[in-house]
Amino acid sequence: EVAVGEQTAINVTLGEDHQELEEVVVTALGIKKEARTIGYTTQEIAGAQLVKAREPNPVNSLTGKIAGLTVAPSAELLGRPQLILRGSSNILFVVDGVPVNSDTWNISADDIETYTVLKGPNAAALYGSRGQNGAIMITTKRGTGDKRRVAVEFNSSTQIQPSFLAIPERQNEYGFGSNYQYAYTNSLYDEGNVNRRANIWGPRFEGQNVPQYDSPVVNGVRQGTPWTARGANNFRDFMGVGVLSTNSVAVSSSGDNYDVRLSVANNYQKGMVPNTGLNITNFNLSTGVHFNDRLKFDGALNLSLQNSPNIPQSSSGPESETYIFQVYGSANWSVADMHDYYKGPQGIPGVQQYYAEYGRGNNPYFVAYEWLYGHRKTDLYGYGRLSYKLNDHFNLALRSQITTWNQLRTERVPYSAITYKTPDLRQGDYREDRRNLLENNTDVLLTYNQNLGKNFTLSAVLGANARLFNYNASWATTDFLIVPGVYNFSNSKNPVQGYDFGADMTVLSAYATTDLTWKKFGTLGLTGRFDKSSTLPAANRTFFYPSASLSTVVNDYVRLPEAISFLKLRGSYAAVRTALTQYSIGSAYQQVTG
């Protein structure tokens, strides 16, 4: 202190003080810790780094960004990327510290502040058996820190995919047939032709006259026309231009005792297969309120609406355009002649398709516009957390989260579609696959932080969790249709076939974690969790799994060469258990029939 006295000016000289800001990462239960004290592997990446080059799915952006995480983006519309973390594909998703059931499409990339990948069982021990292989933690954006207190953010991008990166070459030297022979029969639909089954063993394309599907019939006899590879580029000519358009707007505000953010994002995809597309709209609301110095509330709500009139199929079957062209189709016909898929005399509107190879497969335009796979899904998740600061060392929090979604997928199989069904009467079908999920997690958390003298720092969490899970699914199909083009179960020619499946689960848990740091020499971390699961036998439903870790930053107490800026040693141990559950559930048909 300096006495002012009668002085009118005081000269102050600021001295340098070198201090390093500690990196903080979000760990299990959403707890923030200094990265240098963590005894297991974590890696964090900012969401802003991953939206410069847009991906259809936000998780696709993690490709090549996280060590040990393999991301295999799906080329299919609405296909979930395959994620493998240290050899396992069973990875837990956590949003703002709360586990969610995610198809990876139900969150907007523009709402993500950071991704943190917790690797291995130590990192996710406090999330129970479903986190035994690690977790991908997503922290969403909150209210603005702008001094003007209100901020508006708008993002828009459009990408065009004109073609595939690579297309396997196919031979276009021979047409379909067998024993190097082929001739379309005199009948309208080529019935009884023994030489049309295989697709590459027919005559060589040399311009010779061969009776074909569009050759003229004179006096009941089909004439020959030049045999050429007129459809060598059928697949490229059929596929269109893919479009990915993403638009989002967010309004955020904050004050001395509150923050709020509201965003709307739309993801539109136009498939390369004609008449396919996907529209996803996400609404996100997050808020926080400080009632006083001790009591505060924060929460978030996310609604995702998905809709597709038709999802292209990539299976090896007669409903897949890729299969039609690249596996089974020949080059002796041009796809340009297939646009009118009810063209006469072969075609009859609503009843019989027109196709050069009918009997072997389906007209690709007929599949694209008549054999439809619809998709609708409503996905909602959110949480609310109320926390109270008991004193300088203890904090008590109550948190409850809900995840729920309902999904409807339909399949409309038109008359004359070749399905490989037994018997294949080609009289159409209609199917519905309904799935509903509801999950609630409620936690009570008591946290403790204190310096123990001059040498030790202790932080601990004691918590309890109740997890309620309910899944219901139904799958039903007609057994051929009575009236063409009428897609409902009352139009089934034979009795409707239906399957139902339900799964309920309750898990009650108690857990604890503690970190003890000794000066700057090292940190010991311990966790333990008890689970009581309803999926296990009544006499043996409770199990315990612990973990321990030790870490030290050598730079803090050993002078190292300048070339080594940071050296950390760590080791960990964990014992995990499972509750005889599976991390994903399919349709009722799959669950019942296997």
Side-chain angles (χ1 to χ4, degrees), residues 214-275:
D214 56 351
S215 298
V217 177
V218 179
N219 296 325
V221 178
R222 192 172 298 274
Q223 307 299 301
T225 50
W227 183 251
T228 60
R230 48 182 164 167
N233 294 317
N234 275 345
F235 186 64
R236 295 178 185 272
D237 294 340
F238 175 78
M239 291 294 180
V241 174
V243 177
L244 169 62
S245 178
T246 304
N247 299 278
S248 69
V249 61
V251 179
S252 56
S253 177
S254 65
D256 295 334
N257 58 355
Y258 76 93
D259 66 84
V260 63
R261 183 178 186 273
L262 174 65
S263 69
V264 180
N266 178 258
N267 181 316
Y268 169 74
Q269 298 179 55
K270 174 184 174 295
M272 298 179 71
V273 175
N275 196 39

Side-chain angles (χ1 to χ4, degrees), residues 257-319:
N257 58 355
Y258 76 93
D259 66 84
V260 63
R261 183 178 186 273
L262 174 65
S263 69
V264 180
N266 178 258
N267 181 316
Y268 169 74
Q269 298 179 55
K270 174 184 174 295
M272 298 179 71
V273 175
N275 196 39
T276 59
L278 174 65
N279 198 65
I280 301 177
T281 302
N282 285 309
F283 302 88
N284 183 269
L285 172 66
S286 62
T287 186
V289 179
H290 290 255
F291 298 103
N292 51 50
D293 293 339
R294 293 181 178 272
L295 183 64
K296 66 178 181 179
F297 170 84
D298 66 281
L301 190 66
N302 191 90
L303 173 65
S304 176
L305 304 176
Q306 304 174 7
N307 180 62
S308 174
N310 188 29
I311 299 175
Q313 301 301 298
S314 60
S315 60
S316 180
E319 72 277 23

Side-chain angles (χ1 to χ4, degrees), residues 523-534:
T523 299
L524 173 66
L526 300 172
T527 67
R529 182 182 181 103
F530 281 98
D531 276 355
K532 183 178 181 180
S533 175
S534 63

Side-chain angles (χ1 to χ4, degrees), residues 37 41 94 211 255 281 290 308 325 366 385 408 417 477 504 532 563 578:
T37 66
T41 306
V94 180
T281 302
H290 290 255
S308 174
F325 289 108
F366 174 77
R385 175 170 48 206
L408 170 63
T477 180
D504 294 313
K532 183 178 181 180
T578 61

Side-chain angles (χ1 to χ4, degrees), residues 33 36-40 122-123 125-126 457-460 512-518 522-528 546-552 570-574:
K33 296 182 180 181
R36 63 196 301 113
T37 66
I38 299 175
Y40 47 81
N122 291 79
L126 294 181
T457 300
L458 177 67
S459 62
T513 177
T514 182
D515 290 317
L516 180 64
T517 301
W518 177 41
T523 299
L524 173 66
L526 300 172
T527 67
S547 73
S549 64
L550 185 64
S551 65
T552 180
R570 57 179 173 79
S572 61
Y573 164 82

Side-chain angles (χ1 to χ4, degrees), residues 45 56 64 72 75 91 94 147 252 257 286 358 387 480 544 550 553:
I45 187 168
I91 305 172
V94 180
K147 62 182 180 181
S252 56
N257 58 355
S286 62
Y358 186 70
S387 62
F480 302 115
F544 172 73
L550 185 64
V553 178

